[in-house]
Amino acid sequence: MSKPEEFLSRTLDPRSLRGLAHPLRIQLLRALRHHGPATASQLADRLGESSGATSYHLRQLAAHGFVEDDPSQGKGRERWWKAAQQGTSFDAALYRNPDPEVQGAVEIFLHEIATIHTQELSTWLGTRRDWDDVWAGASDMSDFTLRLPPEKLRELNEKVHELIDSYRDEADAEAPDAHRVRMHLHAFPQRER
């Protein structure tokens, strides 16, 4: 059994957020994280983009430390890229940053992530019949309404993240019936009517 590699995550700051906050860059990083190393041409085919566009945006991601060369894959002139980290976290201080460029990047980033979550959920709903019944029974689409002050919501989020992180090193990840599982967590206040 292979030893799970350490989960590396990067917390966004104003500079790195501006470097990532572009729809194609977010898609490129997601593709490398989910599918592993690839060339700009392979990513262009996967995402329906030109290889010139993917090459440019991969270089921008590299300049900000999100992707890096993968020399173990390349042969000849092929340049292979891999994700430098497996996750990205959002520093809440970015919400309060007064720079209009940072605020624009915050909006782009959050809306792209919400779009990706919606697409992933829609794909699951559209393909769930292709999976064994045990997967349909194990999946979840719940929502909860609580009444909490901000500090209690932060505490709840931290506890949920800790619980999820405790499953990263599970020996069951190597089980023959194990698959990548996506888990979305959305927690936000709502006005009462």
Side-chain angles (χ1 to χ4, degrees):
M1 180 183 322
S2 64
K3 182 181 182 234
E5 62 183 62
E6 180 184 359
F7 182 83
L8 298 174
S9 184
R10 175 164 183 189
T11 302
L12 296 174
D13 58 29
R15 182 181 179 280
S16 61
L17 173 64
R18 286 192 307 266
L20 179 59
H22 183 283
L24 182 53
R25 291 179 196 167
I26 292 169
Q27 289 294 330
L28 288 166
L29 183 56
R30 178 177 174 255
L32 291 171
R33 285 178 175 167
H34 286 213
H35 304 290
T39 66
S41 295
Q42 291 169 335
L43 290 164
D45 288 344
R46 179 181 295 275
L47 300 175
E49 295 286 338
S50 73
S51 59
T54 56
S55 291
Y56 171 77
H57 288 290
L58 284 164
R59 288 191 305 274
Q60 294 302 308
L61 287 169
H64 291 277
F66 290 103
V67 301
E68 58 194 19
D69 285 319
D70 187 357
S72 69
Q73 299 286 329
K75 291 179 179 42
R77 293 180 53 208
E78 280 187 324
R79 187 174 190 183
W80 284 72
W81 297 93
K82 66 179 181 178
Q85 308 89 21
Q86 294 83 26
T88 304
S89 57
F90 194 86
D91 184 344
L94 292 168
Y95 291 120
R96 297 181 301 277
N97 190 301
D99 184 340
E101 279 189 45
V102 172
Q103 289 310 305
V106 165
E107 292 305 313
I108 290 169
F109 178 79
L110 293 177
H111 281 93
E112 284 301 313
I113 297 305
T115 297
I116 288 168
H117 289 184
T118 301
Q119 289 168 342
E120 288 179 345
L121 184 56
S122 292
T123 298
W124 160 247
L125 293 175
T127 62
R128 73 184 187 282
R129 292 175 191 240
D130 300 339
W131 291 83
D132 292 335
D133 288 344
V134 68
W135 282 103
S139 68
D140 183 43
M141 240 177 65
S142 298
D143 62 87
F144 307 91
T145 303
L146 305 170
R147 209 171 154 73
L148 301 170
E151 62 275 2
K152 284 295 184 183
L153 179 57
R154 184 179 325 279
E155 177 185 302
L156 176 60
N157 287 332
E158 288 170 0
K159 286 180 177 180
V160 170
H161 284 236
E162 287 172 15
L163 178 61
I164 292 168
D165 283 343
S166 73
Y167 280 80
R168 286 195 198 284
D169 297 330
E170 279 291 313
D172 290 341
E174 298 294 327
D177 61 344
H179 286 278
R180 180 176 62 219
V181 172
R182 293 286 290 154
M183 190 160 202
H184 300 167
L185 174 64
H186 304 251
F188 49 89
Q190 250 184 351
R191 300 258 184 240
E192 296 180 39
R193 295 181 189 225

